[in-house]
């Protein structure tokens, strides 16, 4: 909602020295979100005056039409002589009043005006368009042609209200009443402690029986419909400058007088209106639900297929408007047309004004289904004051009579559905208990009255909610109003008292350690949506029977393309990597930790928990049993350079080993031993894929995979070449590690190092050899590291040499050479027994 400060001052006597930023600060304190304060006319400097075109000479010989004009600007140029100006626009004629900027002036954008020679003539200034003055689009895209009543030489800066401040306010869904000058003015008046001149306080005639006939068949969808008729409108009447300028400042384009007036009143009072050409209406106006598949052409010229839930305005011929969204092309206000032979002007002369109140849910569904968001639908979705309809219709009638020379018919139609004001019972100290500070009954009552509530009672208050606040439905809503008006900044800051012995669970601590470890290793955390489409499983090349394809689907997904809950973190992470790479960030290392969702073999049905009491343990257990399993996973993706090149070295690209190392780092944080061995699964390259294994309750379990992605997956998902990834089940990793990390015991005795080189078949995994060495070496082994892999003629065809460094140390003594050698030999012997390893050189 764009709020011109000059317009706001009509309803609230703001202090004279208050700037737009001062007002914005007050409104922000009151809970409104002021995005920006726009300075209109900033840097604008005159002379900028009204001129009258005296002559026009068409210049020939140029690529585009050029006109040499003389313009009377009175005494504004200091001589009283006509001003000579070159202009390329063609939407004005001799005798028209235009806006002229003279040499020495400065236009918005620091555009200085001076006499200059162009097209063979000297132009002493400019004839201005709206865009050149920063006024916005007026629909003509040409020179501003003013009404003839304005005197030559008049200051156009003041006439066109070019200098102003506009507050751009982001209206949240619960503050729909602020989508009007009336609503924002009420907030400003409350913030400054000043009276409000309510523009809706008008003398409105009582409904009678001779107004335009209206029949409402769906009172639930339309609980109020006001109709007024104005006849004898002048088809040649144009919107005055003050009206068009207010619309432009508010972000709307002037169209025609009747339409401009309805838009103006909507901005002023928040009540959407529609004007029908009376000559195009056939019989009684009706309000009903559309027939399934019914066709209707809206004002934008699009033929739409309606749904049975859509609310429509009709006459005897069928739909003439889509209620609360957009009018129909068949009753549109006709533009004025001049007969070239007779000079007679024709156009709409009689109009029927609609001011109705529609159900917000119905309007929201229609607008979203048809993808037809309008200024009217935005307001009805957020809630419109139903009691403002009659005042808005009266305001529209008054302006049509004043500006278009029309006559208001005496008939007033108002169809009302039975209803009563909403009341809320609330203890007087409820806001005190919510805020944690004492306001007192008097403050609570005063603040509620300031927002328009009627309040009765002492200890127990009975609050009648104003019609323009549909968001107030419970005591907590009223408490929030008191708190925000008293100032969120005045709330005391108190830290909660944590009971001793409580804190983060072991699971929570592990998740934090995992995040810190990956961030310390150079990964950046990325948070993705937990929704996926089933087509991503084909991109990841998962087999048809894979458990990851068994998804939990949402009944009301945010996007039809992603209707299921994720079973893997990789699609979201790889999507983030792809987006960043496409935007020029090619060296990427991302990680995410989060829940995945596993569908149960037999989906459960969730029970509806009571709200009037605490659910029992059995009810909570039944609800939890119906939920899908939600294990927590961790995943990383890498592409580009892992180590940057520079004066320190050549750098290094990210590869599969980095993904494996990320898994090892998580195992260290979990305090468990991770076995890494060759594997093959889904999106990973079969020759560069490692499966991640832990021993859980005496059984080896594969809890993840790491390595380089398959080239086909990379191509299908549009990823950088050689992208690597790792994904691991954190919950099972934690279960394998036990409850608490055990700090290593460091011996003060020296280490004994023994190196061995073993020859094995090329098909034997290094992890199998390592496991055998570790088992055979016994308790004296401190660490084991593979430091070389060699293939060649020296070791034989189909063979490979694996070189390991074994470190032995005892906790209570210095090992002898015999002891370390015996441990090494035992390790080699077991490796030979289990894997066929032979000591190289033996």
């Amino acid at each position: 909602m764009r709020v011109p400060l000059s317009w706001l001052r009509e309803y609230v006597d703001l202090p004279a020295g208050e700037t737009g930023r001062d007002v914005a600060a007050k409104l922000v304190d009151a809970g409104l979100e002021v995005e920006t304060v726009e300075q209109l006319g900033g840097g604008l400097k005159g002379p900028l005056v009204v001129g009258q075109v005296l002559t026009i000479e068409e210049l020939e010989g140029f690529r585009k039409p050029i006109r040499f004009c003389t313009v009377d600007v009175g005494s504004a140029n200091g001589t009283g002589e006509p001003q000579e100006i070159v202009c390329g626009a063609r939407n004005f004629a001799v005798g028209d009043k235009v806006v002229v900027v003279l040499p020495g002036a400065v236009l918005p954008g620091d555009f200085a005006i001076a006499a200059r020679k162009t097209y063979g003539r000297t132009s002493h200034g400019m004839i201005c368009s709206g865009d050149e003055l920063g006024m916005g689009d007026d629909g003509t895209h040409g020179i501003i042609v003013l009404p003839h009543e304005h005197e030559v030489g008049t200051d156009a800066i003041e006439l066109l209200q070019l200098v102003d401040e506009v507050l751009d306010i982001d209206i949240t869904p619960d503050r729909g009443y602020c989508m009007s000058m009336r609503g924002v003015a009420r907030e400003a008046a409350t913030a400054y402690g000043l009276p409000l001149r309510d523009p809706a306080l008008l003398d409105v005639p009582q409904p009678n029986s001779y107004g335009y006939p209206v029949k409402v068949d769906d009172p639930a969808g339309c609980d109020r419909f006001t109709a007024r008729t104005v006849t004898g409108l002048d088809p040649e009447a144009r919107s005055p400058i003050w009206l068009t300028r207010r619309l432009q400042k508010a972000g709307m384009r002037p169209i025609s007088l009747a339409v401009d007036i309805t838009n103006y009143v909507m901005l002023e009072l928040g009540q959407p209106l529609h004007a029908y050409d009376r000559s195009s209406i056939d019989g009684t106006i009706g309000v009903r639900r559309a027939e399934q598949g019914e066709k209707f052409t809206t004002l934008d010229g699009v033929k739409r297929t309606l749904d049975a839930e859509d609310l429509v305005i009709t006459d005897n011929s069928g739909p003439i408007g889509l209620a609360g969204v957009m009018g129909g092309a068949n009753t549109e206000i006709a533009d004025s047309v001049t007969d070239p032979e007779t000079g007679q002007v024709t156009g709409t002369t009689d109009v029927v004004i609609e001011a109705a109140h529609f159900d917000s849910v119905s309007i929201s569904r229609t607008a979203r289904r048809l993808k037809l968001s309008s200024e009217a639908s935005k307001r009805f979705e957020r809630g419109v004051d139903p009691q403002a309809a009659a005042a808005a219709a009266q305001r529209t009638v008054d302006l049509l009579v004043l500006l278009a020379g029309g006559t208001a018919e005496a008939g007033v139609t108002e169809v009302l559905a039975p209803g009563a004001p909403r009341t809320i019972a609330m203890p007087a100290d409820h806001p005190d208990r919510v805020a944690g500070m004492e306001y007192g009954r008097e403050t609570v009552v005063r603040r509620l009255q300031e927002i328009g509530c009627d309040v009765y009672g002492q200890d127990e208050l009975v609050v009648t909610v104003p019609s323009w606040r549909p968001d107030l439905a419970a005591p907590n809503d009223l408490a929030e109003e008191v708190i925000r008006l008293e100032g969120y900044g005045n709330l005391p800051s108190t830290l909660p008292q944590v009971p001793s012995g409580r804190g983060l669970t072991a699971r929570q601590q592990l998740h934090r350690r995992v995040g810190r470890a990956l961030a310390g290793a150079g990964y950046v955390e990325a948070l993705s949506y937990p929704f996926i489409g089933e087509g991503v499983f084909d991109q990841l090349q998962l087999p048809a029977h894979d458990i990851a394809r068994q998804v939990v689907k949402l009944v009301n997904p945010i996007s039809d393309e992603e209707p299921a809950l994720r079973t893997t973190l990789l699609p979201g992470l790889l999507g983030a990597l792809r987006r960043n790479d496409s935007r020029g960030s090619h060296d990427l290392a991302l990680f995410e930790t989060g829940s995945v969702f596993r569908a149960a073999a037999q989906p459960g049905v969730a029970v509806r928990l009571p709200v009037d009491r605490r659910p029992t343990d059995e009810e909570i257990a039944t609800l939890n049993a119906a939920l899908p399993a939600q294990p927590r996973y961790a995943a990383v993706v890498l592409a580009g350079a892992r180590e940057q090149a520079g004066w320190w070295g050549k750098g290094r690209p990210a590869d599969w080993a980095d993904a494996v190392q990320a898994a090892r780092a998580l195992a260290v944080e979990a305090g468990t031993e991770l076995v890494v061995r060759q594997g093959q699964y889904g999106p990973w390259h079969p020759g560069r894929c490692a499966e991640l294994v832990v021993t859980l309750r005496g059984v080896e379990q594969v809890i993840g995979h790491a390595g380089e992605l398959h080239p086909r997956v990379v191509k299908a998902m549009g990823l950088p070449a050689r992208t690597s990834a790792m994904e691991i089940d954190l919950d099972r990793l934690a279960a394998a590690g036990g409850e608490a990390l055990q700090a290593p015991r460091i011996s003060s005795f020296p280490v004994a190092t023994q190196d061995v080189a073993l020859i094995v078949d090329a098909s034997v995994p290094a992890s199998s050899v390592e496991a055998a060495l570790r088992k055979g070496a016994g308790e004296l082994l401190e660490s084991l590291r593979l430091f070389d892999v060699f293939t060649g003629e020296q070791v034989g065809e189909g063979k490979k040499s694996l070189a390991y460094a074994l470190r032995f140390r005892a906790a209570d003594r210095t090992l002898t050479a015999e002891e370390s050698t015996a441990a090494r030999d035992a390790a080699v012997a077991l490796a030979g027994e289990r894997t066929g390893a032979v000591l190289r050189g033996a």
Side-chain angles (χ1 to χ4, degrees), residues 271 438 523:
Q271 169 66 52
E438 184 176 350
Y523 292 85

Side-chain angles (χ1 to χ4, degrees), residues 593-677:
T593 62
S595 297
V596 299
F597 304 85
R598 300 295 189 190
Q602 296 294 330
V605 178
V607 297
R608 187 181 297 275
L609 297 181
V611 296
D612 57 340
R613 59 174 174 80
R614 183 191 181 280
T616 65
D617 293 341
E618 291 77 12
E619 290 171 331
I620 295 175
T622 303
L623 178 63
N624 289 334
L627 298 177
Q630 301 175 43
R632 195 168 184 90
Y633 273 39
V636 304
V637 293
L638 306 98
R642 184 63 176 141
E643 295 177 2
Q644 296 293 333
W647 58 265
W648 52 84
K650 295 181 179 180
R652 180 178 66 81
D655 61 15
W656 62 269
D658 294 300
V660 173
Q661 181 56 34
R664 293 186 186 276
L666 300 192
V668 170
E669 296 299 328
T672 188
E673 183 177 349
L674 187 69
V675 177
V676 179
R677 62 193 183 200

Side-chain angles (χ1 to χ4, degrees), residues 418-544:
R422 289 176 295 113
T423 60
I424 301 172
M426 178 186 75
D429 64 346
H430 183 67
D432 300 3
R433 290 186 279 113
V434 172
M437 63 180 296
E438 184 176 350
Y439 293 119
R441 180 188 178 280
E442 291 185 3
T443 299
V444 171
V445 171
R446 174 172 57 84
R447 289 303 190 183
L448 292 178
Q449 289 174 340
E450 285 177 351
I451 64 172
C453 296
D454 292 329
V455 185
Y456 303 95
Q458 293 298 319
D459 295 338
E460 188 75 17
L461 301 180
V462 178
V463 182
T464 302
V465 176
S467 57
W468 59 83
R469 294 298 302 271
D471 58 301
L472 302 181
N476 283 341
D477 299 328
L478 300 178
E480 181 184 358
E481 292 297 297
V482 175
I483 294 168
R484 77 173 179 89
L485 294 178
E486 283 295 305
Y488 291 119
N490 296 325
L491 291 175
S493 297
T494 56
L495 294 175
Q497 298 274 339
V498 180
S500 60
R502 295 187 183 180
L504 298 179
T505 65
R507 187 171 187 256
Q508 292 169 331
Q509 291 174 349
L510 174 61
H511 296 160
R512 292 197 178 187
R513 292 199 305 272
V514 163
R516 286 194 293 266
L518 292 175
Y523 292 85
V524 176
E525 186 170 16
L527 300 178
S528 59
Y529 287 110
F531 311 115
I532 57 174
E534 293 183 83
V536 76
F537 299 128
D538 295 329
Q539 293 179 325
L540 293 175
Q541 297 192 349
L542 296 184

Side-chain angles (χ1 to χ4, degrees), residues 531-544 546-554 559-568 571:
F531 311 115
I532 57 174
E534 293 183 83
V536 76
F537 299 128
D538 295 329
Q539 293 179 325
L540 293 175
Q541 297 192 349
L542 296 184
D546 196 283
I547 188 174
R549 288 183 176 269
Q550 300 174 15
V551 297
V552 178
K553 291 189 177 180
L554 301 174
S559 169
D560 292 337
E561 296 179 357
E562 296 180 329
L565 292 173
R566 67 188 178 192
T567 55
T568 168

Side-chain angles (χ1 to χ4, degrees), residues 230-240 242-243 256-259 261 333 348-351 396-408:
V230 181
T231 60
L233 302 180
D234 181 4
E236 294 185 276
R238 297 291 179 266
S239 300
W242 66 265
L243 178 58
S256 64
L257 179 57
V259 176
I261 287 175
I333 300 296
T348 298
T349 57
D350 301 339
V351 298
T396 306
V397 169
D398 292 343
L399 289 174
L400 286 172
V401 171
L402 175 66
L403 302 178
T407 302

Side-chain angles (χ1 to χ4, degrees), residues 34-384:
V34 181
E35 296 285 336
T36 59
V37 179
E38 183 179 349
Q39 303 288 333
L40 300 184
L44 178 64
K45 177 185 175 184
L48 188 72
V49 298
V50 176
Q52 184 171 24
V53 181
L54 300 179
T55 64
I56 298 177
E57 178 187 351
E58 302 289 345
L59 302 183
E60 299 180 354
F62 301 102
R63 292 183 178 180
K64 62 179 182 179
I66 298 297
R67 312 168 97 185
F68 181 69
C69 312
T70 59
V71 185
D72 179 12
V73 294
S75 60
N77 57 5
T79 65
E81 296 296 323
Q83 200 79 2
E84 297 179 339
I85 299 174
V86 175
C87 184
R90 309 193 64 79
N91 67 314
F92 64 96
V94 172
D96 283 345
K97 297 286 181 69
V98 294
V99 178
V100 179
V101 57
L102 301 177
V106 179
L107 294 183
D110 200 23
F111 181 36
I113 303 300
R116 64 188 183 95
K117 191 168 184 178
T118 180
Y119 297 103
R121 301 294 179 92
T122 300
S123 182
H124 299 272
M126 288 173 52
I127 301 175
C128 297
S129 68
D131 288 337
E132 290 166 337
L133 297 178
M135 295 172 58
D137 181 18
D138 61 358
T140 65
H141 301 289
I143 293 302
I144 301 171
V145 178
L146 300 171
H148 287 282
E149 63 264 20
H150 298 294
E151 294 291 333
V152 169
T154 302
D155 182 7
I157 295 178
E158 182 177 351
L159 176 67
L160 298 177
Q161 305 172 24
L162 296 179
V163 179
D164 202 351
E165 294 182 276
V166 178
L167 282 64
D168 191 352
I169 305 176
D170 184 14
I171 307 299
T172 53
D174 61 329
R175 307 291 287 278
Y177 67 97
C178 284
M179 294 192 74
S180 67
M181 294 300 302
R182 181 193 184 202
V184 176
R186 178 175 284 107
E187 290 298 316
T190 302
Y192 279 94
L194 297 172
L196 169 70
R197 288 187 291 274
D198 191 346
L201 296 179
L202 301 174
D203 291 330
V204 180
Q206 293 296 315
N208 50 53
S209 59
Y210 42 90
Y212 198 93
V214 174
K215 181 183 179 183
V216 177
D217 293 331
D218 191 336
C222 175
D223 58 3
R224 184 182 296 258
F225 195 107
T226 299
R228 300 289 298 275
T229 305
V230 181
T231 60
L233 302 180
D234 181 4
E236 294 185 276
R238 297 291 179 266
S239 300
I241 292 175
W242 66 265
L243 178 58
T244 60
R245 288 298 294 135
R246 286 190 171 178
L247 291 177
Q248 287 174 329
K249 291 176 184 178
M252 301 189 75
R253 180 172 64 87
I255 298 174
S256 64
L257 179 57
V259 176
D260 291 349
I261 287 175
T262 58
N263 285 337
Y264 175 83
V265 175
M266 177 185 67
L267 291 172
E268 184 179 49
L269 302 181
Q271 169 66 52
L273 301 110
H274 190 70
Y276 299 96
D277 187 332
R278 184 176 179 178
S279 63
S280 302
I281 302 178
D282 180 13
T284 300
I285 292 178
V287 183
R288 62 169 172 81
R289 297 288 174 176
E291 298 175 4
Q292 186 67 38
E294 192 170 12
K295 306 294 184 181
F296 173 62
T297 303
T298 47
L299 279 173
D300 55 3
V302 178
K303 190 171 185 180
R304 305 182 185 277
T305 302
L306 304 183
D307 188 86
E309 286 190 353
D310 297 333
L311 201 62
V312 292
I313 312 298
T314 65
D315 63 4
N316 292 340
S317 64
I320 60 174
L322 198 55
V325 180
M326 187 174 286
N330 51 351
T331 57
E332 182 179 7
I333 300 296
D335 295 331
S336 60
V337 179
T338 303
D339 191 313
E341 296 181 359
T342 65
Q344 183 178 0
V345 179
T346 59
T348 298
T349 57
D350 301 339
V351 298
V352 176
I353 306 300
E354 166 207 308
H357 183 261
F358 301 111
D359 174 57
S360 59
V361 174
S362 175
I363 302 305
S364 177
R365 287 176 176 171
T366 296
R368 279 162 173 72
R369 188 181 61 79
L370 296 177
K371 296 180 175 61
L372 187 60
S373 179
S374 64
E375 292 293 332
S377 68
K378 291 176 185 176
R379 286 165 171 80
F380 279 119
E381 288 173 6
R382 289 164 172 79
V384 169

